[in-house]
Amino acid sequence: MKITREKWQTDFSEWFDWVLKEGEFYDYGRYPVKGVGVWLPYGFKIRRAVTDLIRNLLDSTGHEEVLFPMLIPEDLLRRESEHIRGFESEVYWVTKGGKDDLDVKLALRPTSETSITFMESLWISSYKQLPKKYYQIVSVFRYETKATRPMIRLRELTTFKEAHTLHETYEDAERQVKEAVEIYKKFFDELGIPYVISKRPDWDKFAGAVYTIAFDTIMPDSRVMQIGTVHHLGQHFTKVFDFKIQKKDGSLDYPHQTSYGISDRVIAALIALNGDDHGPVLNPKIAPIKVVIIPIPAKDDETNKKITDYCDGIAEELNKNSINAVIDKNPEKTPGEKFYIWELKGVPLRIEIGQREVNNNMVYIKRRDTLQGISIGRSELVQKVSELLMKISEDLKKNAWEMMKSKIIYTDDLDEAKKTLENRSGIVEVPWCGENDCGLKLQELTNSRVLGSPYDSARDVSNKSCVVCKKPAKDTLRLAKTY
Amino acid sequence: MKITREKWQTDFSEWFDWVLKEGEFYDYGRYPVKGVGVWLPYGFKIRRAVTDLIRNLLDSTGHEEVLFPMLIPEDLLRRESEHIRGFESEVYWVTKGGKDDLDVKLALRPTSETSITFMESLWISSYKQLPKKYYQIVSVFRYETKATRPMIRLRELTTFKEAHTLHETYEDAERQVKEAVEIYKKFFDELGIPYVISKRPDWDKFAGAVYTIAFDTIMPDSRVMQIGTVHHLGQHFTKVFDFKIQKKDGSLDYPHQTSYGISDRVIAALIALNGDDHGPVLNPKIAPIKVVIIPIPAKDDETNKKITDYCDGIAEELNKNSINAVIDKNPEKTPGEKFYIWELKGVPLRIEIGQREVNNNMVYIKRRDTLQGISIGRSELVQKVSELLMKISEDLKKNAWEMMKSKIIYTDDLDEAKKTLENRSGIVEVPWCGENDCGLKLQELTNSRVLGSPYDSARDVSNKSCVVCKKPAKDTLRLAKTY
């Protein structure tokens, strides 16, 4: 069977909506509030695998999980926005409790820098208590005026992992930024999600940050999606709250902070980045079901009984070996209908058992990613399935990286850059003088967005000129059409 | 050392606030919104152990975890309150997004019957899809007008586990109520929290329920606290949403529902129910740290080095055996100061290591619950610590049950009932004719609250009379001063 990827790439939005709904990952667009969705059991299991992974990575690097209130009083939030351009225009406000008007409006948290810094100022008074690394996994709210999309642009982000750290010095915080980048690399590597890491331009950094490092990936429609950010916050928020600590040398000063976050978008990328017109292919590492077993009915009941017994044995053996397997015994559906739904759910391996397999003591296994099947002996089951799951995980990661890399081009020709971006084919990287003005002009000229300069893989531009002003290049800038 | 329990019992509120704050479980009263708190890392670990436990119990009984939106539009919530006395008076309303007034007010969910039933009506159309058992662990909001208390009466309940199930028939739903009661029994038994189970009187059941079964426990100040509820919802909510399914016999009818919930109060009980004037005693099953090791300094550096090396070896061996142990090496604190803080944190076992222990290859272990110490040989370490942890867990459970039982009295003398309740000494159970009027009168006469009739342990009242109307008793009623 030939794999087609037309819908997946050219009608990606439609493909994604179809997968989430029909594959029963996430119900979107039917709940009567705009921009919010319902995590269905199957999707929730993927979400749990993702949150377990990030928890493990953070716990093992000295981060402590906490839980702060959802509501932030107006004056706390305003203290920040007096100093920094803030989130105010996209904040939801609670103004009533029961029939009473509240004395102080309460914001649904858009992010928690203000509430966390306020509490830290009560808890921490000395360098001896530092560093502190907190994180929480919570819902945050943004009153988005742009078009919303399931998991990708939401008014309630339900899977916001925000880390907040506190340090004695600027350099300590900078080291923390590097640690955070390494943690996110491990996280995305483990999930097989490819990324480029950019230092966001000054005009696009987080409100209140000294600088912002961002992870971006390229979606099947070649648009770029931000999937993680790391901010060096310097002393911005600690100054806002007049929060000083005693330093090692005895002096009092504002401590330095970082914050870093990921969201539901990680799960969107996981579902979207490997797919075809049959649906997604889930990475075995996070797939809630690793193997689906489908009995192929024979003509007589006796043989059918043998077939289902044989299937039961396979399921039992796989589950005993911690390979989550289910049998689809639904008598009202044909095997073809079952293939359709389980492919749409992205289950990595399908086992088909008919009379032939039973008679010959064989197992027929089909890979979801390649749609290729092989027959193996019954006794090889666990070993072969384990190998295939591992192989699929590796191949998915390799393919996703190759796909992304094929969509990143480097050019010092402005026209080529424009044309490539017009055709929406990923990321274009161009030589740049390092001036904000040229960066902003580039955005205008190419009608796209500057992602920033490469964070950890600078290109040699010693003989190149800025594509805008023609002065000697100092770095490169990445440009893309983004979500 | 003698254990005193004065503060713990007579000034329980103060004791609890002190423990939560100074023991660094939960920061309450300082965040600038009334009735909300911050889960600190140490408390959060207990919360995680509790949520892990309930997840395991629910997953293994066919419940599926989901996540519904936090915001419920006014018209969805009102559909319910038109039919049933609802939560309206205690709902927070979001009325603004950014600078815009919202067209439709949005409620912060007080509970999720309405949103879940609405979505179920889109998903489910046939008995073949039933039963369905969903649950989620989320924040819910109540605009409480009563005095708030940390973990016990909150405006944001951050640990609301709500299960919602759907069934073809009334009887199926009734069986689910029984399953839910069994799950909660296991849950509280595992945590060592004692309970009585009552069928709430008609006037105090959940808004929309056919009947409500509740778990109550008795706190150290002898007040009763509700720690879990199970509701048979019948067809109330499915009728509100005109949600019918095809039944086995081909007819169309409204399906039946149950819902059941627990909250942060479980964690309050866990921390409060075993304690003394030094602080709480955590059950080893959920204690984030099982053993704290405290070096007792000697006079010379060389000996001190030997002591800390010896402590390191002990910590390493315990941790290798999955017994979470930490060493408090803080050079700025005396052993006495360390004892104080770790007792306040409720760590089940303390190991003290001084020159004597090192020289004799011994380990001195002190139980947090009895404050009794024993010396053991170094080689017995893991076995003895494991035994002690198991013993503490059993003893805590036993003591908590005994304490609760000692505060439940049965009497057919109304004056005795009144007096006992005036002195706030727990639960009083009295014979009752079964009429609501007598129940309501009892509340007035005793200035207390009716918890309901025993759910699974009816008393023989064949020769007794109702304490109010003197007619023959049919059952008993439990009365108490409650939170």
Side-chain angles (χ1 to χ4, degrees), chain A residues 186-199:
Chain A
K186 263 192 208 166
F187 175 66
F188 291 120
D189 287 345
E190 181 71 18
L191 297 174
I193 297 175
Y195 49 81
V196 292
I197 312 175
S198 306
K199 187 172 176 181

Side-chain angles (χ1 to χ4, degrees), chain A residues 226-332:
Chain A
Q226 173 177 299
I227 50 173
T229 48
V230 182
H231 315 294
H232 194 311
L233 300 175
Q235 298 171 310
H236 283 263
F237 289 89
T238 55
K239 281 183 177 168
V240 166
F241 288 98
D242 194 23
F243 163 30
K244 291 183 184 174
I245 57 153
Q246 186 173 39
K247 296 183 76 173
K248 213 173 213 156
D249 64 12
S251 67
L252 285 177
D253 198 6
Y254 304 106
H256 295 256
Q257 294 178 306
T258 79
S259 69
Y260 31 105
I262 53 169
S263 74
D264 306 77
R265 285 185 164 190
V266 173
I267 305 166
L270 262 178
I271 295 172
L273 286 180
N274 295 97
D276 56 34
D277 292 348
H278 295 234
V281 186
L282 294 184
N283 193 318
K285 286 186 184 171
I286 52 87
I289 297 168
K290 315 289 184 215
V291 182
V292 60
I293 302 161
I294 295 178
I296 310 296
K299 284 180 185 152
D300 61 299
D301 287 352
E302 201 186 328
T303 312
N304 279 334
K305 173 82 170 66
K306 276 189 200 157
I307 289 171
T308 51
D309 286 351
Y310 196 81
C311 289
D312 287 339
I314 289 172
E316 199 186 331
E317 191 177 342
L318 289 175
N319 284 313
K320 210 185 294 171
N321 285 276
S322 302
I323 299 169
N324 192 18
V326 300
I327 312 174
D328 187 347
K329 288 187 182 172
N330 190 337
E332 294 178 8

Side-chain angles (χ1 to χ4, degrees), chain B residues 101-153:
Chain B
D101 288 325
L102 300 180
D103 294 337
V104 177
K105 281 196 290 182
L106 302 171
L108 304 191
R109 77 180 142 226
T111 176
S112 304
E113 277 74 10
T114 50
S115 46
I116 291 183
T117 307
F118 173 77
M119 292 308 290
E120 283 177 335
S121 75
L122 305 177
W123 299 335
I124 290 159
S125 56
S126 161
Y127 75 93
K128 289 178 193 167
Q129 296 168 272
L130 302 183
K132 274 287 172 198
K133 310 184 201 173
Y134 297 118
Y135 76 98
Q136 61 180 5
I137 302 175
V138 295
S139 274
V140 294
F141 294 83
R142 311 271 168 95
Y143 181 65
E144 285 287 351
T145 45
K146 292 188 200 170
T148 54
R149 278 163 179 266
M151 291 194 200
I152 292 173
R153 188 174 300 280

Side-chain angles (χ1 to χ4, degrees), chain B residues 209-225:
Chain B
V210 180
Y211 61 85
T212 290
I213 309 298
F215 286 70
D216 295 298
T217 195
I218 305 180
M219 293 292 269
D221 59 357
S222 298
R223 275 188 185 262
V224 165
M225 180 168 80

